[in-house]
Amino acid sequence: MSYAAKISSLMQRPGQDPVAKDDVPRWMKYAGRGLGTVGSLIAILFGVLNCTSILLGSVSCLISGMWQMVAGFIVVMIEAPCCCLFIDFVQNLSDWVEKRPYWNRAAAYCLIAVPPVFLCLGVSSIIGSGLIFATGVIYGLMSLGRKAPLPEMRSAATNIEVPSASMQTTLVENAQPMGYSNRPDSNV
C-alpha cells in the first residue's frame, strides 16, 4: 500500500467505500441531482394540475396525476433529502440508494415515469414525467462510465478482425442466394 493510499484511507468518512465508486465527471453528478430535484418538484406541480382534471370526469388523469405526484415525491426524497427533513426515514433511504449502482436508480426513475404518460396523455404528464425520465437517462449514462482515451479507441477500431476476405460471406454456410431458387409450380 502506498503512502498516499494510507493517507486517503485515514481521511475517509465513516461508512465510505475504501475504493472510489466511479469515474463519473462532477458536472454529470450535479446535473443528475439538480435535474432530479427540480424535475421532481415540477412533476409534483404538474401532478396537481392533472388531478384537477377530475372536474371534467377524467378518472385516468386523476390516477395519472396521483402517480406523478408520488413519483416526484420519491425522487425528491432520494435526490434532495434536505427538502424532507420532517420525515424520519428519508435520510436512511437516501443513503441506501447512494450505495446502489447508478443503473438501479436509472431503471427505477425510468419505470416510475412511464405510467402517467400512458394513463393521461397531455402536456402536463409529458413534461412532469419527462423530467423524471430524463433524470433516469442521466443516471443511465453515468452507469456506463467514462469513455476510453482517444488512442485506445483508435487502436480498438483499427484492430477489427475481418471475418473473411470475400464479400460473399453469410451467416449460414449452406444458404443459397435468392436468385438460384426454383419458382414454385403453378400446376401442383
Side-chain angles (χ1 to χ4, degrees), residues 38-57:
V38 173
S40 62
L41 294 174
I42 291 172
I44 291 171
L45 290 175
F46 280 131
V48 170
L49 186 65
N50 267 355
C51 286
T52 60
S53 66
I54 191 66
L55 298 174
L56 301 173

Side-chain angles (χ1 to χ4, degrees), residues 27-185:
W27 67 269
M28 192 173 260
K29 287 182 183 180
Y30 288 139
R33 188 152 308 248
L35 182 64
T37 303
V38 173
S40 62
L41 294 174
I42 291 172
I44 291 171
L45 290 175
F46 280 131
V48 170
L49 186 65
N50 267 355
C51 286
T52 60
S53 66
I54 191 66
L55 298 174
L56 301 173
S58 177
V59 176
S60 63
C61 286
L62 173 71
I63 295 170
S64 169
M66 290 188 311
W67 186 294
Q68 193 169 338
M69 287 190 303
V70 169
F73 185 69
I74 289 170
V75 173
V76 84
M77 280 191 325
I78 293 170
E79 297 297 327
C82 61
C83 294
C84 304
L85 290 175
F86 55 90
I87 303 176
D88 294 334
F89 67 89
V90 169
Q91 189 62 44
N92 294 335
L93 175 70
S94 179
D95 291 340
W96 180 76
V97 170
E98 285 293 324
K99 294 176 186 173
R100 308 291 303 161
Y102 286 130
W103 70 268
N104 291 130
R105 199 181 305 186
Y109 289 171
C110 289
L111 285 175
I112 64 173
V114 170
V117 176
F118 286 127
L119 287 171
C120 180
L121 186 63
V123 175
S124 59
S125 294
I126 291 172
I127 292 174
S129 293
L131 291 171
I132 294 174
F133 192 85
T135 305
V137 168
I138 288 176
Y139 278 109
L141 291 174
M142 288 168 61
S143 70
L144 293 176
R146 283 189 184 262
K147 289 189 334 183
L150 185 60
E152 186 177 331
M153 288 193 299
R154 278 190 183 148
S155 68
T158 58
N159 291 337
I160 296 175
E161 294 181 16
V162 179
S164 176
S166 73
M167 297 298 286
Q168 300 287 333
T169 59
T170 59
L171 293 175
V172 181
E173 293 296 326
N174 296 330
Q176 287 184 346
M178 293 289 286
Y180 296 146
S181 62
N182 297 331
R183 292 179 68 183
D185 289 333

